[in-house]
Amino acid sequence: MDGKKQFTFERTIPISFTGKFPPDTRALSGLGFDLVSATRQAITIRKSQPGAHSLPLAHLEITIKKESAALKASAPAGCDPHLQELRAAATFLRVLSLFPTCQASAAELASLLLPSLDTAASIADSPYEALSKKCRDAHEQLSMLIAKNRALLRSSEEGVLASLELERQSSALSARIKKLESVSDDSLLELVQDWLAAHHGKFNAALFAKTHSIPPARAEEGLERLLATGAIRKVGGSLHTQVAHSHGTFENRPAGALESLKGLVHFRKPPPTHHL
C-alpha cells in the first residue's frame, strides 16, 4: 500500500445577508449541482464530480446559513489535494457570488483562496509534457483496475452459478435418498421373497419397482442382498446387475425336510412280472 489518505477539505467563513433569508436560489440551476435544497434555516448544495470512465472523483457540499457558509470537499486517495482544494474553493466562491445580498469579509475570502491560487500558479509553471505523462499513467492504472474489477465480478458470478448448481444437485440427491429409503431394508427383503414365491421364482426388477413404488435400483439391491446372504439362489446361471432390469428364475432356500429326503432317496420301479 502507498499509504495515501483520502482528501478532505473543510472551511467555514462568517457571512451576512442584507435582505430576507433564504435568498432566491434560481441562479444555481445552471451550475450542474446534484442537489439544491432551501429551507428557512439553510441552503444545502451538493455536487459529485465524475472522473475518467464516469467514476465519481470528488464530492462537494456547501451549507449556507444566515450568518455563516461552510464548505466540505472530499476525493479518493491518490488525487492531487491541491487541485481538489482549488476546485472546491472556486466553486464555493462562485456560489456566494450568485447571491447579491450576501456579504463576506475580504480577509476571510483571501485566507480561503490564496493557498489554492498559489498552487494553481505552480501547476501552470509545470511542463506540459510531465503533466500529460501523469495523466496517461493515471488513465492506464485506472483501466487496469477496472479490468481487474470486471474479472472479479465475472469470477464472482461464476462462483454463484456453481454454488446454485451444487445446491440443486444436493437437493436432487437428498430427494433420491429419501425415496430410496422409503422402504426399510428388512421390509424390502421380505417383499422380494414374497414376490419370488408368488411368481414361481421369476423376478423382474422394473415390474417389482413399479408395483411397490420404489426405484428399480432399490429392487435390485434387495435381490442382491438375498443372494449374498444365501437366502435365495439363482437357477440356471448368474445374475447380472449391470443392467437396469434384471430377470431370472430363483428359488427359496433352505429346502424343506421332505424335499431333502427326496434328494437322498431314489425310488426304482419294480421289475416287470412275467406270467407263463
Side-chain angles (χ1 to χ4, degrees):
M1 301 180 62
D2 54 10
K4 294 182 179 179
K5 297 181 180 180
Q6 181 183 19
F7 165 77
T8 56
F9 178 73
E10 296 186 15
R11 291 289 187 277
T12 301
I13 62 173
I15 60 173
S16 62
F17 287 88
T18 57
K20 66 177 183 177
F21 187 88
D24 189 359
T25 60
R26 287 179 293 179
L28 300 174
S29 60
L31 297 181
F33 292 111
D34 302 326
L35 171 70
V36 176
S37 174
T39 66
R40 292 183 178 181
Q41 288 74 30
I43 299 174
T44 303
I45 303 167
R46 295 193 184 99
K47 182 177 182 180
S48 295
Q49 177 191 350
H53 301 276
S54 300
L55 294 178
L57 184 63
H59 301 278
L60 180 142
E61 179 175 330
I62 299 173
T63 304
I64 301 175
K65 297 182 180 180
K66 192 172 183 179
E67 297 179 352
S68 66
L71 169 65
K72 294 181 181 180
S74 63
C79 295
D80 189 332
H82 300 293
L83 184 59
Q84 294 300 323
E85 184 177 337
L86 175 62
R87 288 174 175 170
T91 303
F92 187 50
L93 184 61
R94 185 177 294 109
V95 168
L96 294 179
S97 68
L98 294 176
F99 298 109
T101 59
C102 178
Q103 298 178 355
S105 167
E108 294 289 347
L109 294 177
S111 64
L112 173 68
L113 294 175
L114 283 178
S116 299
L117 293 175
D118 291 339
T119 301
S122 62
I123 293 175
D125 293 337
S126 300
Y128 172 78
E129 291 78 6
L131 295 176
S132 178
K133 185 179 183 305
K134 288 182 179 180
C135 183
R136 288 195 303 269
D137 293 343
H139 276 279
E140 290 177 0
Q141 292 178 2
L142 181 59
S143 298
M144 291 175 60
L145 291 175
I146 292 176
K148 290 181 179 180
N149 184 51
R150 289 174 178 172
L152 288 174
L153 288 176
R154 286 194 299 268
S155 178
S156 177
E157 291 174 355
E158 293 173 356
V160 170
L161 292 177
S163 177
L164 291 176
E165 176 62 19
L166 289 175
E167 184 177 353
R168 184 192 67 80
Q169 294 179 5
S170 177
S171 299
L173 290 175
S174 297
R176 182 178 179 186
I177 291 173
K178 184 177 181 180
K179 189 174 182 180
L180 288 173
E181 293 178 348
S182 59
V183 177
S184 65
D185 292 342
D186 293 339
S187 298
L188 177 64
L189 299 181
E190 292 179 2
L191 289 174
V192 173
Q193 287 179 315
D194 293 342
W195 179 277
L196 292 175
H199 292 80
H200 307 289
K202 299 292 184 180
F203 188 78
N204 185 305
L207 184 58
F208 177 87
K210 183 177 181 181
T211 302
H212 297 287
S213 300
I214 63 174
R218 181 71 167 152
E220 293 183 358
E221 179 185 349
L223 185 63
E224 291 172 0
R225 289 188 179 184
L226 290 173
L227 288 171
T229 58
I232 62 173
R233 65 184 179 86
K234 186 171 183 181
V235 178
S238 59
L239 178 64
H240 298 283
T241 60
Q242 291 84 355
V243 295
H245 308 297
S246 301
H247 307 275
T249 303
F250 305 87
E251 64 181 10
N252 289 322
R253 295 182 65 192
L258 181 58
E259 293 182 0
S260 300
L261 290 176
K262 287 181 180 180
L264 296 175
V265 180
H266 301 279
F267 296 95
R268 296 181 180 179
K269 291 182 180 179
T273 305
H274 301 281
H275 301 278
L276 295 175

